[in-house]
Amino acid sequence: MTAIDHLDEVRARLARARKVFILTGAGVSAESGIPTFRGPEGYWKKHPPEQLASPEGFARDPKLVWEWYNYRRRLIAGCEPNAAHRAVAEIERRIAQFLLCTQNVDGLHQRAGSRNVVEIHGSIWRVRRADGTGPSVENRTIFEDTELPLRAADGALLRPDVVWFGETLPAEAFARVDAFLATGPVDLAFVIGTSAVFPYIIRWAAIPKHQGAMVVELNPSPSLPAELVTICWPHKAGDILPCLLERE
Ligand code: OAD
């Protein structure tokens, strides 16, 4: 095990912290066997995102899009939460005011025991009508390709309740993160396994930093602007987070 810089400092801050915010991306699920989006093995290397994750792509070929999401459902259903998901859930148990905002749609944080979770890009385990009417409903079926695209009883197209490129974020989820950050300063924030390509992700790292929080980025290829990061751990999440929770 390589030495982890500033581990004692982060442990001490965590021990005293009353309010902790965690932002995660695909990297936190990588050690569970779920591919990330960017990088050499990422989904977007093999598939154009506008084809598989945009309203236009869905309108053009809903079956293709559904097949991709169904493939990912099957993959995710066969994966387990890893040490990083479990550590995030344990941090929540220790902290009075806690929020986890994940860009992941896989539900692995919840399976590991996380409760205060905002799924800012939706969930692969929910569906809604593509025409924008009606509620989002849980649906955990792995389909046969012949059943796709999925349709409601009246024949209307259903779609995964995830956020696609060019779409706005779910307003309630967005407001929940903003409200958490607006009500008193965060003591400690972790940004884990995200390439932080979206302005709102950078903003949600910047707010705690400006409030005086210790901001820890955990990513083998760190991506946040250096001025937003107090401590950078260029490592895999599952190697590091459990060490944080070990008793000295
Ligand atoms: P990305 O695929 O863009 O980035 C994954 C990040 O995880 C990279 O920075 C990797 O270096 C890092 N990483 C890989 N393995 C890791 C590990 N074991 N521990 C820690 N970090 C690791 O995924 P996101 O940032 O989540 O949105 O992407 C954001 C959004 O873009 C996704 O939610 C998805 C995508 O397009 C939509 O589909 C709308």
Side-chain angles (χ1 to χ4, degrees):
M1 180 80 224
T2 50
I4 306 165
D5 290 343
H6 307 290
L7 180 60
D8 289 342
E9 256 172 84
V10 182
R11 269 188 185 148
R13 179 67 76 114
L14 180 64
R16 286 197 315 269
R18 292 170 49 81
K19 183 164 175 175
V20 172
F21 178 57
I22 301 187
L23 262 173
T24 65
V28 80
S29 292
E31 290 160 79
S32 292
I34 300 174
T36 60
F37 293 92
R38 296 169 185 84
E41 302 298 319
Y43 282 124
W44 299 153
K45 278 281 175 230
K46 293 169 224 143
H47 313 278
E50 58 280 6
Q51 187 180 46
L52 297 176
S54 77
E56 296 77 19
F58 186 72
R60 220 173 9 248
D61 195 342
K63 185 169 171 64
L64 177 76
V65 172
W66 256 117
E67 283 174 2
W68 186 60
Y69 278 93
N70 194 43
Y71 158 78
R72 289 174 60 200
R73 280 179 171 222
R74 185 174 287 117
L75 178 90
I76 293 163
C79 293
E80 295 298 326
N82 65 49
H85 296 109
R86 289 193 293 276
V88 168
E90 175 57 26
I91 292 172
E92 176 173 358
R93 283 190 280 274
R94 295 184 185 186
I95 298 296
Q97 285 177 274
F98 177 92
L99 189 71
L100 165 63
C101 173
T102 186
Q103 295 163 85
N104 300 345
V105 298
D106 56 32
L108 288 187
H109 279 301
Q110 292 90 332
R111 279 174 57 195
S114 287
R115 290 293 165 262
N116 280 312
V117 187
V118 171
E119 293 179 306
I120 198 66
H121 290 164
S123 168
I124 201 165
W125 302 115
R126 305 187 71 82
V127 301
R128 60 183 171 84
R129 289 170 71 101
D131 63 13
T133 63
S136 163
V137 294
E138 186 171 330
N139 178 311
R140 294 185 170 268
T141 309
I142 313 291
F143 301 98
E144 295 299 326
D145 280 355
T146 49
E147 298 174 271
L148 300 173
L150 197 62
R151 290 183 184 276
D154 65 1
L157 269 177
L158 297 172
R159 57 166 282 180
D161 192 9
V162 298
V163 178
W164 283 331
F165 287 92
E167 294 186 315
T168 48
L169 296 172
E172 201 185 314
F174 193 87
R176 214 175 133 200
V177 179
D178 268 353
F180 179 81
L181 296 177
T183 50
V186 169
D187 301 307
L188 177 60
F190 293 93
V191 181
I192 306 169
T194 178
S195 55
V197 285
F198 300 118
Y200 48 90
I201 297 301
I202 296 175
R203 184 172 153 266
W204 285 334
I207 293 172
K209 185 71 169 65
H210 294 144
Q211 291 171 340
M214 174 187 279
V215 176
V216 181
E217 181 176 23
L218 177 49
N219 188 327
S221 307
S223 56
L224 280 176
E227 66 273 17
L228 299 184
V229 179
T230 318
I231 290 171
C232 178
W233 282 337
H235 305 290
K236 290 183 174 180
D239 286 345
I240 301 299
L241 284 177
C243 305
L244 191 57
L245 297 169
E246 281 162 12
R247 306 282 173 198
E248 285 138 275

